Amino acid sequence: MALNSGRVRMHTRLTGRVIGHPTRCSMFTFRFFAGFRTIAVSVFVAVWFLFAYLQLRRRRLLNKSEKTRSFLELDCCKVDAQELALLSLRLMGERIAHPEKYADEGNFPKPEIEDPKLYHYAIFSDNVIAASVVVNSAVENTREPRKHVFHVITYKMNLGAMQVMFKMKDYRGAHIEVKAVEDYKFLNSSYVPVLKQKESVSLQHFYSENKLENATRDTTNMTYRNPKDLTGLWKIDIDGKVNGAVETCSGSFHRYAQYMDFSHPLIEARFSPDACAWAYGMNFFDLDAWRREKCIEEYHYWQTLNENRTLWKLGTLPAGLITYYSTTKALEKSWHVLGLGYNPSISMNEIKNASVIHFNGNMKPWLDIAITNFRPLWSKYVEYGNEYVQSCNFGL
């Protein structure tokens, strides 16, 4: 805000007259201070506007910097995504070149695959190298690998590559089944509300408008490492609950109020905004309790209600928090230590005592932007002996 130059000259003359005629000081006292107050107010307003402008400019620069950082991270991820795609293509080339090696894939499963007496894990991933690290780390840290069964589920396009990856190693006798999501015929839009919603033009438009936010969320890739024998999970008494998970709330953070809209009467009536959220991605399920509590029907019910996104906006966590609201047992935090993809302050002692460590966050261990101290915890289980892994650059 600019000051009037005429007014400034007037006040300058006034000040000179006061100084030059001290005997008339009382006569000009009121005028002088009145004029001084006018200048002070004008200067204050000008400074205030300048401060407000600088604050606005700072916020814009910070927002621009944040967006630039997100795009740089995305760009870095795209480079490594190209390496992952290249690895999958080379594995598919191996399958096409030597079909006789994989002739038994897709046939009836071995009896161990469905044996309820064994330890079963379900791994959902489209990342070949990350899925192999999860299985490898679990197998290397168990005393009886032959009692462990891994059900790896991926997309049809990635199925052949994933099958070759797990066929090329014995994994100490552990049983591994690789299937595509499309193989489960009941998973279709007529049965699963969320798949039906994905076909909606309005929903596709909504997600495209939020593509940067979605892209920087930790919604893909199984990035776990299992440093301990996980058979102890089956000895935990979860008190008849469906889901065993590690809670993530601290103070006001990661409470239900952050994930769903409590202005909606249904949400307000059924849930507490202060309820503690838990890690949805590494869970221990009692399938008998799952069936008894009709969890699938409950999940579908809430997904259908949220078709217009009035209960929650983005992400898969809110639907899980709602479905297992009263049927989740909190596990000891050492079972699942999170944050290795964004929090460098996690202590090595905490990691050492963990059963599962989770690289959630943007700084995945195979990226150049990975946290240096944590990368060896993951990379030690990478199949460096695999010729196809050797031919790719994952910043390892």
Side-chain angles (χ1 to χ4, degrees):
M1 178 178 178
L3 294 175
N4 186 286
S5 58
R7 182 179 297 175
V8 172
R9 284 196 297 271
M10 179 189 73
H11 289 302
T12 301
R13 289 196 300 271
L14 176 61
T15 304
R17 288 166 63 187
V18 170
I19 294 174
H21 303 279
T23 58
R24 300 180 182 178
C25 185
S26 59
M27 171 178 188
F28 291 101
T29 298
F30 177 76
R31 292 182 182 178
F32 171 72
F33 282 108
F36 182 80
R37 185 177 61 184
T38 303
I39 294 175
V41 170
S42 300
V43 170
F44 173 79
V45 172
V47 170
W48 187 88
F49 272 106
L50 178 61
F51 177 77
Y53 169 76
L54 291 175
Q55 285 291 92
L56 179 61
R57 179 69 176 168
R58 177 176 174 270
R59 283 197 296 268
R60 286 176 177 174
L61 287 173
L62 286 174
N63 289 338
K64 184 177 180 181
S65 174
E66 180 64 23
K67 288 180 179 179
T68 302
R69 183 185 68 81
S70 297
F71 278 118
L72 286 174
E73 288 180 354
L74 284 173
D75 188 57
C76 179
C77 292
K78 286 177 182 177
V79 172
D80 290 87
Q82 291 172 3
E83 296 295 331
L84 288 171
L86 182 60
L87 175 59
S88 294
L89 286 173
R90 287 175 174 169
L91 290 170
M92 277 300 299
E94 160 68 17
R95 179 175 178 125
I96 293 170
H98 305 284
E100 69 281 358
K101 292 183 181 180
Y102 313 100
D104 60 332
E105 296 296 340
N107 295 335
F108 290 106
K110 297 183 295 184
E112 291 85 356
I113 296 298
E114 298 179 357
D115 189 344
K117 296 179 182 178
L118 302 181
Y119 305 109
H120 293 260
Y121 307 83
I123 300 173
F124 299 83
S125 180
D126 60 353
N127 186 322
V128 176
I129 195 168
S132 70
V133 166
V134 172
V135 175
N136 202 28
S137 62
V139 168
E140 290 297 322
N141 288 285
T142 187
R143 288 186 289 271
E144 298 179 287
R146 293 186 178 277
K147 291 186 177 181
H148 294 257
V149 183
F150 298 88
H151 306 270
V152 182
I153 302 164
T154 188
Y155 294 114
K156 193 75 173 180
M157 184 176 65
N158 214 40
L159 179 62
M162 198 75 81
Q163 288 175 336
V164 171
M165 188 69 176
F166 284 104
K167 188 77 171 181
M168 295 182 76
K169 184 180 175 179
D170 179 64
Y171 290 96
R172 297 179 61 203
H175 310 284
I176 302 172
E177 176 190 44
V178 182
K179 298 189 74 173
V181 174
E182 292 84 351
D183 292 334
Y184 298 92
K185 302 303 181 184
F186 62 88
L187 292 177
N188 55 67
S189 58
S190 63
Y191 175 68
V192 183
V194 71
L195 294 179
K196 182 179 181 179
Q197 292 168 22
K198 285 180 67 177
E199 297 174 354
S200 165
V201 175
S202 62
L203 189 65
Q204 291 174 7
H205 179 66
F206 177 79
Y207 273 87
S208 66
E209 285 183 337
N210 294 275
K211 60 184 176 183
L212 177 59
E213 180 183 356
N214 294 331
T216 55
R217 286 174 178 262
D218 183 39
T219 56
T220 60
N221 301 321
M222 293 291 292
T223 48
Y224 302 107
R225 200 254 314 178
N226 309 300
K228 288 187 178 181
D229 190 343
L230 297 181
T231 55
L233 278 171
W234 276 261
K235 299 176 183 178
I236 296 176
D237 182 3
I238 59 175
D239 301 327
K241 304 286 188 180
V242 175
N243 172 36
V246 169
E247 293 183 331
T248 57
C249 60
S250 176
S252 61
F253 294 100
H254 294 283
R255 301 285 178 178
Y256 270 49
Q258 289 183 269
Y259 298 99
M260 53 202 77
D261 187 357
F262 274 86
S263 66
H264 194 288
L266 270 178
I267 295 295
E268 183 184 24
R270 294 283 295 271
F271 309 101
S272 167
D274 297 323
C276 187
W278 36 266
Y280 190 44
M282 204 295 288
N283 306 87
F284 180 62
F285 291 109
D286 182 334
L287 296 183
D288 288 332
W290 174 302
R291 299 182 186 97
R292 184 185 67 244
E293 297 292 336
K294 301 184 183 301
C295 290
I296 293 177
E297 291 84 349
E298 184 77 359
Y299 186 84
H300 288 177
Y301 169 77
W302 287 102
Q303 286 284 8
T304 301
L305 285 179
N306 194 49
E307 185 172 3
N308 57 0
R309 300 179 303 281
T310 57
L311 306 183
W312 69 88
K313 297 298 182 185
L314 299 175
T316 56
L317 179 56
L321 293 176
I322 287 174
T323 301
Y324 307 111
Y325 175 63
S326 60
T327 57
T328 295
K329 168 79 172 182
L331 301 180
E332 290 290 334
K333 291 189 180 297
S334 61
W335 277 110
H336 183 193
V337 173
L338 302 94
L340 277 74
Y342 69 88
N343 183 9
S345 66
I346 299 173
S347 71
M348 294 307 294
N349 187 55
E350 186 177 1
I351 292 172
K352 181 180 178 181
N353 294 324
S355 296
V356 172
I357 56 176
H358 188 177
F359 290 85
N360 57 312
N362 290 333
M363 293 182 277
K364 301 299 186 189
W366 59 83
L367 301 179
D368 289 335
I369 60 173
I371 298 174
T372 306
N373 292 342
F374 298 157
R375 178 183 282 150
L377 301 169
W378 186 86
S379 60
K380 67 183 290 187
Y381 294 104
V382 174
E383 292 297 329
Y384 292 109
N386 187 303
E387 61 181 294
Y388 299 106
V389 173
Q390 290 175 4
S391 64
C392 296
N393 175 30
F394 291 105
L396 300 173

